[in-house]
Amino acid sequence: TVHLQNTSLLWRLLLLLLLCARWSRGLPDGAAASGDDFFSDTRAQQLYLDFVTMLVSRVNSISGVDYRADPVIHSWDLANEPRCEGDASCSRIAAFIHAAAAHVKSLDSQHLVTCGLEGFFGGSSPDLLQANPYNVTHGTDFVRECSSPHIDFASIHMYADQWRPGAGDEQCSRWAADVHVRLSNVCQLALLAACCFVVGNLEPWPSKVGHTSTTGGAGKVDRKPGWVWL
């Protein structure tokens, strides 16, 4: 992270630093626990908050700049695509986001805070439930999660070719439009929309993991299976 921050400063880039990656659970096969347990385990959440305190309070060992004052850091991302499949109330992730965002803000008032959500609507916006691509919430409630006063902007990750095969452009457009309407009417937040889709050979996931789409020079594109983020 230190080297990335210093390189970003040279290239005049801003960083959105992730604090927790849901898809890297670190649990062995056959473990009794699951990733969903985190949202009801106060000890696990305290370990997360302790890690956040350590990282946000860190001083860059190369530049000597406190992370809380580092102009290269644009914002803190609380978690990447959190889900809690067993929570029909869709309330646990919202409670976690509110507490975690408040904790980050108590440490750092200079940078923005968000959470990298997938944008599934829940019970707080019943009129938008039909916009969910395959009629599930994954225990999340986008509007409720973005309603925390400690969240500065909303973020959605869209996987249109997985969620609605063959209707990617249509799904992305409707998804983003519905989110924008709800945000403008309720949350009053800016929206960062990240579109994630496959290019090239449409092999089944996870065969695409570890590959990226790269520019082959002079406008040519290497069409390896991979993800493109916009």
Side-chain angles (χ1 to χ4, degrees):
T1 303
V2 170
H3 291 287
L4 181 60
Q5 286 175 246
N6 287 279
T7 301
S8 299
L9 180 61
L10 292 175
W11 286 92
R12 298 183 179 180
L13 301 176
L14 296 178
L15 300 178
L16 191 162
L17 293 187
L18 177 64
L19 297 173
C20 177
R22 175 192 181 271
W23 296 102
S24 299
R25 296 176 181 85
L27 294 172
D29 293 338
S34 72
D36 295 350
D37 294 334
F38 171 81
F39 298 103
S40 57
D41 189 321
T42 56
R43 291 187 300 171
Q45 292 188 40
Q46 186 58 53
L47 288 173
Y48 167 88
L49 295 177
D50 291 343
F51 168 76
V52 168
T53 298
M54 179 276 296
L55 185 62
V56 174
S57 305
R58 179 181 168 82
V59 174
N60 188 309
S61 61
I62 296 177
S63 68
V65 177
D66 190 311
Y67 278 24
R68 291 171 289 192
D70 196 330
V72 169
I73 298 175
H74 174 271
S75 50
W76 299 103
D77 186 346
L78 300 175
N80 179 50
E81 301 170 5
R83 292 182 180 183
C84 189
E85 306 289 358
D87 182 18
S89 70
C90 300
S91 60
R92 295 176 188 169
I93 290 179
F96 161 75
I97 288 175
H98 178 73
H103 182 69
V104 173
K105 285 291 189 179
S106 72
L107 299 168
D108 179 0
S109 61
Q110 303 300 312
H111 295 110
L112 303 176
V113 174
T114 189
C115 189
L117 303 168
E118 293 169 284
F120 296 107
F121 296 110
S124 69
S125 50
D127 55 318
L128 291 179
L129 284 173
Q130 73 277 5
N132 287 343
Y134 42 89
N135 299 317
V136 296
T137 65
H138 291 297
T140 68
D141 186 329
F142 182 72
V143 173
R144 185 189 301 183
E145 289 152 9
C146 291
S147 296
S148 170
H150 308 296
I151 292 294
D152 296 305
F153 66 95
S155 175
I156 58 173
H157 300 169
M158 297 178 287
Y159 297 83
D161 66 334
Q162 291 187 50
W163 294 343
R164 291 285 296 274
D169 291 342
E170 175 189 349
Q171 175 61 22
C172 274
S173 298
R174 186 162 64 91
W175 191 254
D178 286 339
V179 171
H180 271 98
V181 169
R182 178 57 60 175
L183 283 173
S184 62
N185 290 337
V186 179
C187 299
Q188 294 292 305
L189 294 177
L191 174 69
L192 172 63
C195 302
C196 191
F197 56 93
V198 181
V199 296
N201 183 14
L202 301 183
E203 297 178 6
W205 192 91
S207 64
K208 297 180 289 294
V209 173
H211 297 286
T212 57
S213 298
T214 57
T215 301
K220 298 179 181 179
V221 176
D222 178 10
R223 295 287 184 177
K224 294 180 181 178
W227 299 115
V228 176
W229 287 90
L230 300 177

